[in-house]
Amino acid sequence: MRKHHIDNLRWIAVLMLFPYHIFMIYNSFGENFYIKGADIRGTTAFIAATWPWFMPLLFVIAGIGTANALQKRSPGAYAKERVRKLLIPLVAGLLLVIPAQTYFAERFHNGYTGGYFAQYILFFTKETDLSGYTGGFTPGQLWFILYLFLISMAAIPVILLTCKIKFKPTLAKVPKILLPLFFILPCIGSLVLDIAGKSLGEYFVYFMLGYFLLSKDAVQQWVEKWRFALLGGALACTAVYLMGWFGVFTGSDLLYDIFARFYAWLMILALLGLAGRYLNFSNKATTYLSRSSFAVYLFHQSWIIAVAYYVFQFAKQPLPQMLWILLFSVPATFGTYELARRWKVTRFLFGIK
């Protein structure tokens, strides 16, 4: 049976990327961005409060989705689908979507005056730290699609092995009261293949926790039952985490990182519980948003950067800038999706149903 609350939680998380990446323009923690505005502590607080759990949540949802998908199709069919739905859009996005971001970054930071297509030479040849914030090659927001493809492929032999030897991890049989302690597994996974602060091992663990644990009805029922207790604990962790972020207290970086993952896991459990209770429904609007969420993820940041570049030329104060960027980037993103879904070739290139 289709789990509508998982679909709804996915598109809500994707829509959160609009304020997240708009706020990144105004971050005050010293990180550059494709377009950089004033340093604002309020927007920084939103980023700081959400980044520990935001991407882990998407990998957990992907793991749950994989568990549901493999009930309907073979691992081989699933692998072919991942190539079609992830690898091809990844390549298409790197060629057709991401260069728009670095084009405007080159113009904003470096005074670039060349043409858009001439900038492709810089995109593929300029030495960079892979962020692309001041130009040069970057996967941009598509790093998630790259990681998800690699993790999906790596998960298949693990899943097949557990089936072949008739062994299934007994995670779901662990007393449910111990579920919050599973944050230890991402902590261990974070030690594996950390690339620019994004650990492939950690996200693989979140994906597998989604597949083996959080996809189980008994677990979903438990997090739904205890949703308010989990949310209360997560919000308390949010306050403590932000105090550490803004230097209200200092301590061991290792302990802070461990606490961040505990906070992330607790928030994921809370959000799954709330979604199970309040988001398990479907209508025309939710169906549309669910179907468009992958394309929205693919296109949104390029539109945010393009719009911000021009907004900064006529709006000088941060609040009007943010509002204008949001006002134009959201419809531009969905408009791009509407155009792309009308042609077979663009549906194929961008993984659109």
Side-chain angles (χ1 to χ4, degrees), residues 129-155:
D129 61 358
L130 294 181
S131 73
Y133 290 162
T134 57
F137 180 80
T138 177
Q141 69 274 19
L142 304 189
W143 74 266
F144 168 70
I145 297 176
L146 171 61
Y147 271 40
L148 184 55
F149 175 73
L150 294 175
I151 288 170
S152 298
M153 293 298 101

Side-chain angles (χ1 to χ4, degrees), residues 3 53 107 111 122 180 206 231 252 262 277 284 287 307 326 335 348 352:
K3 291 181 169 63
W53 54 263
R107 296 188 68 175
L122 289 174
Y206 279 118
L231 179 63
S252 165
F262 173 71
R277 179 64 179 86
K284 288 184 179 180
T287 299
V307 169
L326 184 65
F348 173 75
I352 297 172

Side-chain angles (χ1 to χ4, degrees), residues 284-300:
K284 288 184 179 180
T286 63
T287 299
Y288 176 83
L289 290 168
S290 180
R291 288 178 176 175
S292 64
S293 62
F294 182 81
V296 169
Y297 183 92
L298 197 69
F299 299 134
H300 81 281

Side-chain angles (χ1 to χ4, degrees), residues 73-214:
R73 58 181 65 93
S74 68
Y78 171 79
K80 290 179 181 178
E81 182 197 45
R82 296 297 84 188
V83 170
R84 184 165 56 91
K85 296 292 188 179
L86 296 176
L87 184 59
I88 292 172
L90 171 65
V91 175
L94 286 174
L95 293 175
L96 302 174
V97 177
I98 301 302
Q101 298 173 191
T102 57
Y103 170 71
F104 288 107
E106 290 280 6
R107 296 188 68 175
F108 184 84
H109 292 286
N110 306 323
Y112 176 74
T113 58
Y116 178 78
F117 291 105
Q119 186 258 163
Y120 270 73
I121 298 174
L122 289 174
F123 182 75
F124 286 108
T125 63
K126 183 178 179 179
E127 187 175 345
T128 175
D129 61 358
L130 294 181
S131 73
Y133 290 162
T134 57
F137 180 80
T138 177
Q141 69 274 19
L142 304 189
W143 74 266
F144 168 70
I145 297 176
L146 171 61
Y147 271 40
L148 184 55
F149 175 73
L150 294 175
I151 288 170
S152 298
M153 293 298 101
I156 292 173
V158 175
I159 294 168
L160 288 174
L161 180 62
T162 61
C163 295
K164 183 177 181 180
I165 62 176
K166 298 183 179 180
F167 165 78
K168 290 186 178 180
T170 56
L171 299 181
K173 298 180 181 178
V174 172
K176 305 300 182 292
I177 194 65
L178 299 180
L179 278 178
L181 298 181
F182 277 81
F183 82 95
I184 295 171
L185 297 179
C187 287
I188 297 171
S190 68
L191 304 175
V192 179
L193 292 176
D194 189 306
I195 304 171
K198 299 176 176 67
S199 168
L200 194 59
E202 180 176 3
Y203 291 128
F204 178 81
V205 170
Y206 279 118
F207 182 94
M208 299 310 291
L209 284 172
Y211 180 88
F212 284 118
L213 179 66
L214 296 175

